[in-house]
Amino acid sequence: MKAATDAATPADTPSLPAAARVFGRIGILSFGGPAAQIALMHREIVDERRWLSERQYLDALAFCMLLPGPEAMQLATYSGWRLHGTAGGLVAGLLFVLPGAAVVLALAVLYAALGEVPLVAALFLGVKAAVSVVVIEALIRVARRALAEPFHWLIAALSFILIFFFAVPFPLIVALAGLAGLLRGGAAPAVHQTTRAEAAAPKAGLAGTLRTVAIWLAVWWLPLIAVGILGADTILPTIGLFFSKLAIVTFGGAYAVLAYMAQDVVGHYGWLGAGEMMDGLGLAETTPGPLILVTEFVGFLAGWHAGGIGLGLAAAAVTLWATFAPCFLWIFAGAPYVERIAAAPRLRGALSAITAAVVGVILNLAVWFGLHVFFTEVAVARYGPLVLQEPELASLDPRVVVIAVLAAFLLIGRHWGVARVLALSAALGAASMLT
């Protein structure tokens, strides 16, 4: 009798150049923060190409949500690792980050030299409108697969309520969901025929894991130590140490990182003003790549204020290294254990519950993103422990509504590709603000 198969059994492994082309495309089109980026990756590597199965993708997503740092970048790195080991992980992770990093750096230089860049805001108004539709479409698709039973629906709903209405820290939500899933347990995974992609997946061992940790700790810290020695009389060592600490202690995604970072870079170090910090966040939200690329903007402006363009560029490079090098450490050391964890029923139950919680968190991000895209003014009101996002109804931007409706029609009704819809939406957004 033929073995039961996963509903989305992976296809055969693509070549590394073929995978690089797709991850490069994802990096260029990854607008809209982690919710949109996770959705775009799901569409590209699960729905369209079947390089990972649905189960593999969701287990990896749950694992990445447990790690410090940008979960979408780490998910891309894991996906590349799953296909081509360390080389694939490096290619996927770097291609996810570098296009956005180049754009953010260019905009940071323009910002420092000229001030705000209104044309960029005009160009990306339409992009954000289209991204809001992409997120909703993907949220529905992922929820259908991740919320397999009432328990998962309950976890997702509670997670959304806790994070959106009560601002409960994301790590606590993940811990509670994982504990609930662990206590409840889960069904053993379905047995399916092993594809070449699965057979080629790297295997873990204690000695190999320790070697990986040692190598990537050296990759992370040796350049920063060199910067500390060669640039001892500059701001660079402080920047390297600060953003390395940020990479370790901040869980819960980009918005948790931003809250911690803004307090220190504005209040403690005085590297930026509050207005500059908000402008950096605005630029990062309208460019491809992980939202945490706002750290590059912060690092560049800190260096610019301290010593001009040369120090600004060096500070941006140090910031990027300290922010993203640890991500490769976490993934390359932990990824070989993801499927082993998922194969144990109780641990699988914990991962399934965390994945359900992630659905609630993505819904939170989708609602938060939508409110700030469709309305130009959104106030935050607190009523005891309750936190409410209250949009000013009069600030509803009709241009965004029109572009979003058109994007929904083209994406869902006409099945246009994401790149085509984003390009058209960007053109419409720019035209609407420049006329």
Side-chain angles (χ1 to χ4, degrees), residues 198-220:
E198 292 173 302
K203 302 299 187 289
L206 179 59
T209 299
L210 293 176
R211 183 169 57 250
T212 298
V213 170
I215 290 171
W216 282 96
L217 280 175
V219 168
W220 175 13

Side-chain angles (χ1 to χ4, degrees), residues 231-246:
D233 57 346
T234 70
I235 195 176
L236 297 180
T238 305
I239 285 178
L241 183 61
F242 173 75
F243 285 105
S244 291
K245 181 175 68 173
L246 199 74

Side-chain angles (χ1 to χ4, degrees), residues 303-321:
W304 171 281
H305 291 322
I309 182 69
L311 190 58
L313 293 174
V318 171
T319 300
L320 282 177
W321 192 268

Side-chain angles (χ1 to χ4, degrees), residues 257-338:
V257 174
L258 292 174
Y260 175 88
M261 180 178 66
Q263 181 178 358
D264 271 18
V265 302
V266 175
H268 179 65
Y269 292 104
W271 290 338
L272 278 72
E276 290 176 321
M277 184 70 229
M278 293 304 297
D279 289 340
L281 177 58
L283 288 178
E285 284 185 324
T286 54
T287 53
L291 184 58
I292 198 59
L293 280 172
V294 70
T295 59
E296 181 189 22
F297 177 88
V298 170
F300 174 81
L301 279 193
W304 171 281
H305 291 322
I309 182 69
L311 190 58
L313 293 174
V318 171
T319 300
L320 282 177
W321 192 268
T323 299
F324 292 104
C327 297
F328 293 107
L329 167 59
W330 315 143
I331 291 299
F332 292 151
Y337 296 94
V338 171

